[in-house]
Amino acid sequence: MSGDANSGHRRLIVELGHGAADARTLRAVAEVAALLHWDLHGLFIEDESLLELAQLPFVRELRLPGHEWHKIETDRIAEELRRAAAEARRLLREVGAALGVPHAFEVHRGDPANAFAAVTLATDVMVVAAPTTPAGRLGHGVSRLRAAVDGSTASLLLLPARFALRHGPVVALLSGADDPALRLAARAAANTRERLLLLLPEGEASLTEAAVQRSVALGVPKTRVTTRSLSGSGPEDVLHALSHVHERLLVLTRGASPAGEVAAASRIASDRGVAVLLLEAAE
């Protein structure tokens, strides 16, 4: 595995079977993986419920152009899933090779949430990308994956729709001197030679000084470290602090602040059009 051994994470896990990652989104995920020096792991889940549904005698599909109802053919659905998996594998291989990102791919059959949980390790980060198609937004498998994400404590990479990685500072929202977000954001800034912007609680001079010193120790020159004090740590406070910043990546610790809740962080990602890395608190 590649990646920073001290970061605690080595793989970005992206699910490719439910319309949540088209070619453009997958490239964006690979760009984040390259930025962080992590591996990219594609997971294609053959949703067992589709095959079970096709076996029910009363289920029919409307076929075009004749607009006639026909019984769903289980073998045909299975073949379509195999073709989709092969296409996903090809796409992942092309994107990974183009960006020089180590990558792997595997296929699982079963309930999407259970399959995802079975594959991911404690050091993995699950990619949660905004679906790019109506089918992806409405898919039952996507809904179950989202429910699993909300109920888990895993680290997440939240990608908004139409996301594109841009140049700009790496930003970390810190709740304390030992906040995991600081280490990862500092290393990302050092990797990319970008500026590092630290968002800190207001009136915490000692914390601010300690965070700057630690950032320097992690490889970011002091001249490229800036700090900004926040009167609160909710999503509105973060959005206000970033109003004139063209950030490249935002790193928060999950549950360490109001902005670190999944719904709040997703809103920040959407409003800012930025990738938000939500680290598991025990990192």
Side-chain angles (χ1 to χ4, degrees):
M1 286 287 178
S2 67
D4 180 356
N6 296 321
S7 73
H9 294 104
R10 289 174 171 80
R11 299 192 303 177
L12 282 176
I13 308 291
V14 58
E15 205 283 316
L16 298 169
H18 287 89
D22 58 8
R24 188 172 183 275
T25 302
L26 185 56
R27 182 176 178 86
V29 174
E31 288 174 346
V32 175
L35 182 155
L36 297 169
H37 293 178
W38 290 350
D39 293 359
L40 181 59
H41 194 88
L43 173 63
F44 188 96
I45 301 174
E46 296 180 343
D47 193 342
E48 216 164 41
S49 65
L50 292 176
L51 298 174
E52 292 172 351
L53 182 65
Q55 292 172 356
L56 297 176
F58 54 83
V59 174
R60 296 289 186 272
E61 64 176 345
L62 183 64
R63 295 182 186 173
L64 299 177
H67 293 87
E68 297 178 347
W69 291 98
H70 295 267
K71 186 180 184 303
I72 298 177
E73 300 169 1
T74 305
D75 290 345
R76 182 175 60 81
I77 290 183
E79 177 59 26
E80 289 177 356
L81 288 172
R82 284 191 289 271
R83 290 178 183 173
E87 174 63 16
R89 185 192 298 271
R90 181 196 64 78
L91 183 61
L92 179 73
R93 183 171 58 246
E94 289 183 356
V95 169
L99 295 175
V101 175
H103 53 280
F105 181 86
E106 61 183 301
V107 178
H108 280 253
R109 176 173 291 184
D111 175 79
N114 292 340
F116 217 126
V119 168
T120 53
L121 306 173
T123 54
D124 291 334
V125 177
M126 298 165 57
V127 176
V128 182
T132 56
T133 65
R137 287 188 287 271
L138 297 175
H140 185 48
V142 171
S143 299
R144 281 180 288 168
L145 282 173
R146 292 278 180 158
V149 166
D150 290 341
S152 76
T153 58
S155 295
L156 308 173
L157 176 67
L158 307 176
L159 294 182
R162 299 178 300 280
F163 167 76
L165 197 64
R166 61 201 179 203
H167 288 287
V170 178
V171 182
L173 174 65
L174 305 183
S175 59
D178 59 348
D179 196 310
L182 173 58
R183 179 176 60 201
L184 194 142
R187 292 190 180 278
N191 289 343
T192 58
R193 298 185 178 181
E194 296 280 15
R195 291 184 297 117
L196 175 64
L197 172 59
L198 305 177
L199 306 181
L200 299 132
E202 195 172 55
E204 296 284 350
S206 59
L207 169 59
T208 299
E209 180 60 27
V212 172
Q213 290 181 1
R214 192 177 179 206
S215 300
V216 173
L218 290 167
V220 185
K222 192 171 183 178
T223 54
R224 294 213 305 265
V225 182
T226 57
T227 63
R228 188 166 295 180
S229 297
L230 304 184
S231 58
S233 57
E236 292 291 351
D237 302 295
V238 175
L239 288 169
H240 179 72
L242 297 177
S243 57
H244 298 293
V245 178
H246 297 283
E247 68 278 14
R248 188 170 191 171
L249 176 71
L250 173 61
V251 187
L252 307 88
T253 298
R254 187 168 181 177
S257 66
E261 300 299 331
V262 176
S266 296
R267 180 193 163 194
I268 295 171
S270 178
D271 284 5
R272 297 294 303 164
V274 68
V276 173
L277 189 55
L278 203 56
L279 297 177
E280 193 269 323
E283 151 68 10

